[in-house]
Amino acid sequence: MDLVVQGLVKAFRLLLSGDPEVLEITLLTLRVSGLATLISLFLGVPLGLYLAVARFRGRELVVGAVNTGMGLPPTVVGLWVSILLWRNGPLGMLGLMYTPTAIVIAQAVIALPVVTGLTMAAVQQLSPKLRLQVLALGASPLQFWWIILREVRFGILAAVMAGLGSVISEVGASMAVGGNVRGYTRVLTTAIVLEVSKGNFDMALALGFVLMVLTYSITYALTIVQQRRRRW
Amino acid sequence: MKKYLIFALCVLATAALFGCTPKAQPQSNSPTEESSSKEPVPPVSAPAGNKDVILATTTSTQDSGLLDVLIPLFEQKTGYRVKTVAVGTGQALAMGERGEADVLLVHAPEAEKKVVVSGAAINRRLVMHNDFIIVGPKEDPAKIKGSRSTVEAFQKIAKAKALFISRGDDSGTNKKELELWKAAQIEPKGSWYQESGTGMGQTLTIASEKGGYTLTDRATYLALKKNLSLVILLEGDKSLLNVYHVMQVNPEKFPRVNAAGGKAFADFMVDPETQKVIASFGKDKFGEPLFFPDAGKPDIY
């Protein structure tokens, strides 16, 4: 238990002293996971809306794939993205391996099914009568989608939180495609792994606290928004 | 209504942009800045073109903290940025064989030679050594303390079926360990022989928690000693030497390799000044050096 106390004390010191390296790692984590979540939103929300409403052959296959993808193992994503980005891989000429951009790509892939799946589920919980009503009132396609989007906004917020939560906490993909390069691609989770293998458990715990405080703060802000108009 | 959604997006966007510190400097002691402000001497070889050097190396050089000292020095001297990928020697060599790294710092002489023969790596040079040690619980259930050789110690462990934790990850240490079992004419198998599949630090922790024996490099052991209930039970045997070489990945075979950067790092590792830093590394913290510089000595490994 001493270790936990030491870790907490160290975490407070780190936060208060504004250790430049920890600050840099924290900012990079925010930047990378934030961008990845944004990208997954721009792709996943339209995809989720479409999958919820569209009727086409093989839809169940796609939906099943999305639902499976919600549990996509980050290490597997990391491996695939590595193979694509390696110097001698198909996208090698971009020189993206071991850069923050590579982590953003991998994390966006991880968050995409989460955002898509939760958006889709949120739409499907709406009363089917809404669709008829909106169309009967003569809404244009654009208006139709806008109304649906408005109705599921809280569900989408849940998707944002789940997506961000899944990427900010993953380590397998960041390690594989980022390489945990000091001062460049080291994020909080990979830094924690390194400190553990160096035997600096107090530092690892401290970074863990920083990560959790960070995630909680963001999620809390989003939750405030989500819960403002609760009906239950 | 949509205000909320937009607000939420803004929270996320600021989170993302907040992190966008202008050109996050590679390290607290950024090479260019330092050289311009403190060092009057211009960088030895200003990197033209690609300034990123990918170094594939073993976990021991990173976990012991040696690279945290050497890499800032190198970056400051040359202006290159080193991307260290610390993995097991097996994976580091595989990266070299695929041309995914520019320079390799590894410790498995036999496996290294194969990579050189295959043409994937060139200019293999001796850098430093330390030694492997056998550590285990103080009680020493297999009574290996006082063994005359590693082979004898390994035979005793196998005979007593005392718990042994192997790296099991094709790292340099793992290769060495398998070599030693072979020399002892034992095929390690059974519930007493467990493979952790992790790096040296993690494996030491597991051995410590489970009260098992393991083979480790001295540097990682000393660096982690404060958290371990393991003691050194065998050391000093000739077969326990742990030798590190640096090699450049062959740019003729892999055109995308940063040839100049790889060479600069390899040259840096055997440079007399660097060798001095290696010799003194760890003395203040552990009372003894973790690595012994060897550059320029006859390479008999």
Side-chain angles (χ1 to χ4, degrees):
Chain A
M1 281 315 280
D2 292 356
L3 208 55
V4 178
V5 177
Q6 274 174 31
L8 258 176
V9 170
K10 190 142 192 166
F12 269 111
R13 275 208 202 121
L14 279 178
L15 287 174
L16 292 180
S17 70
D19 181 283
E21 185 162 8
V22 172
L23 189 70
E24 190 191 301
I25 293 173
T26 309
L27 289 181
L28 181 72
T29 307
L30 268 178
R31 180 174 126 207
V32 163
S33 296
L35 264 179
T37 311
L38 269 184
I39 292 170
S40 70
L41 270 185
F42 281 115
L43 298 174
V45 169
L47 194 63
L49 292 177
Y50 175 75
L51 280 179
V53 176
R55 281 160 210 196
F56 58 90
R57 195 186 290 248
R59 180 180 164 274
E60 274 71 22
L61 284 177
V62 179
V63 172
V66 168
N67 286 337
T68 310
M70 289 171 83
L72 213 54
T75 351
V76 175
V77 175
L79 180 63
W80 278 97
V81 175
S82 303
I83 290 171
L84 286 177
L85 295 185
W86 265 331
R87 274 182 187 158
N88 302 303
L91 300 175
M93 65 286 179
L94 299 177
L96 288 177
M97 197 60 187
Y98 307 125
T99 62
T101 313
I103 310 181
V104 172
I105 294 171
Q107 291 195 344
V109 173
I110 294 168
L112 181 60
V114 176
V115 172
T116 309
L118 290 181
T119 306
M120 187 177 68
V123 175
Q124 290 186 318
Q125 277 174 9
L126 296 176
S127 165
K129 287 178 191 152
L130 181 72
R131 179 191 182 122
L132 291 176
Q133 202 179 6
V134 172
L135 291 177
L137 287 171
S140 71
L142 202 66
Q143 285 170 320
F144 170 75
W145 287 115
W146 181 245
I147 287 166
I148 300 285
L149 196 62
R150 246 181 52 184
E151 286 299 314
V152 297
R153 61 191 181 277
F154 297 128
I156 290 177
L157 271 177
V160 174
M161 287 187 258
L164 184 70
S166 70
V167 295
I168 209 167
S169 62
E170 72 79 29
V171 61
S174 301
M175 195 62 111
V177 304
N180 192 26
V181 178
R182 186 180 181 186
Y184 187 54
T185 58
R186 185 163 296 172
V187 291
L188 282 167
T189 50
T190 57
I192 292 171
V193 171
L194 178 67
E195 293 304 333
V196 169
S197 60
K198 277 184 169 178
N200 298 333
F201 298 122
D202 53 346
M203 184 67 178
L205 272 171
L207 290 172
F209 286 127
V210 172
L211 178 61
M212 280 156 72
V213 167
L214 186 71
T215 315
Y216 183 76
S217 316
I218 299 173
T219 314
Y220 179 72
L222 295 174
T223 308
I224 295 271
V225 177
Q226 188 195 36
Q227 298 296 315
R228 196 169 282 175
R229 280 285 169 94
R230 64 188 193 146
R231 285 178 277 196
W232 286 79
Chain B
M1 294 299 139
K2 69 177 178 180
K3 265 190 303 192
Y4 299 134
L5 201 69
I6 289 173
F7 173 69
L9 277 174
C10 286
V11 170
L12 212 73
T14 31
L17 293 176
F18 183 48
C20 277
T21 37
K23 288 283 151 273
Q25 7 187 120
Q27 227 144 87
S28 43
N29 40 8
S30 152
T32 42
E33 266 185 21
E34 290 284 311
S35 53
S36 63
S37 59
K38 282 183 188 165
E39 252 184 299
V41 199
V44 180
S45 55
N50 191 354
K51 67 188 250 312
D52 283 344
V53 181
I54 300 180
L55 163 69
T57 184
T58 80
T59 51
S60 53
T61 52
Q62 173 149 303
D63 289 356
S64 63
L66 178 67
L67 290 181
D68 288 343
V69 175
L70 291 185
I71 287 186
L73 265 179
F74 171 73
E75 291 182 334
Q76 190 178 328
K77 249 185 177 169
T78 61
Y80 283 108
R81 176 171 61 196
V82 180
K83 293 185 177 176
T84 311
V85 183
V87 288
T89 288
Q91 195 184 331
L93 288 174
M95 283 179 70
E97 276 175 326
R98 301 177 42 83
E100 298 299 342
D102 303 314
V103 60
L104 314 172
L105 177 63
V106 285
H107 64 140
E110 288 309 315
E112 290 162 19
K113 280 178 202 159
K114 279 182 204 153
V115 179
V116 174
V117 168
S118 79
I122 52 168
N123 212 357
R124 174 169 171 266
R125 282 178 282 175
L126 184 61
V127 175
M128 58 190 182
H129 76 270
N130 60 8
D131 59 343
F132 291 110
I133 49 181
I134 301 178
V135 297
K138 216 169 50 223
E139 301 75 36
D140 190 15
K143 300 276 169 271
I144 66 165
K145 200 168 173 124
S147 299
R148 274 160 304 163
S149 67
T150 326
V151 166
E152 193 188 321
F154 269 40
Q155 279 166 344
K156 279 182 181 165
I157 292 174
K159 202 168 168 203
K161 295 203 185 309
L163 184 64
F164 187 96
I165 310 289
S166 164
R167 289 275 293 272
D169 63 349
D170 199 28
S171 60
T173 310
N174 188 218
K175 285 175 197 281
K176 178 56 129 186
E177 178 216 316
L178 294 176
E179 240 171 65
L180 293 171
W181 286 116
K182 212 170 157 191
Q185 294 179 319
I186 291 165
E187 197 184 336
K189 242 186 199 166
S191 60
W192 60 274
Y193 183 79
Q194 300 183 355
E195 297 183 22
S196 71
T198 54
M200 196 67 251
Q202 199 79 9
T203 303
L204 280 167
T205 309
I206 295 171
S208 171
E209 288 299 312
K210 294 183 132 185
Y213 295 96
T214 193
L215 179 77
T216 173
D217 62 288
R218 190 183 291 267
T220 311
Y221 171 73
L222 286 178
L224 268 69
K225 202 172 145 193
K226 63 177 194 295
N227 300 314
L228 302 172
S229 48
L230 296 171
V231 295
I232 300 177
L233 295 169
L234 191 81
E235 59 186 325
D237 190 31
K238 215 168 51 211
S239 64
L240 289 176
L241 207 59
N242 180 22
V243 188
Y244 290 80
H245 283 87
V246 70
M247 300 185 282
Q248 294 153 239
V249 178
N250 190 353
E252 277 171 30
K253 190 163 179 184
F254 305 103
R256 289 209 175 109
V257 160
N258 182 354
K263 181 167 186 311
F265 188 81
D267 289 345
F268 168 79
M269 285 305 292
V270 299
D271 186 82
E273 257 178 65
T274 315
Q275 293 273 306
K276 253 186 234 159
V277 177
I278 293 174
S280 63
F281 173 72
K283 265 189 190 159
D284 49 343
K285 209 167 158 193
F286 307 106
E288 53 183 306
L290 298 191
F291 297 95
F292 302 90
D294 282 331
K297 292 186 191 161
D299 188 356
I300 49 164
Y301 312 103

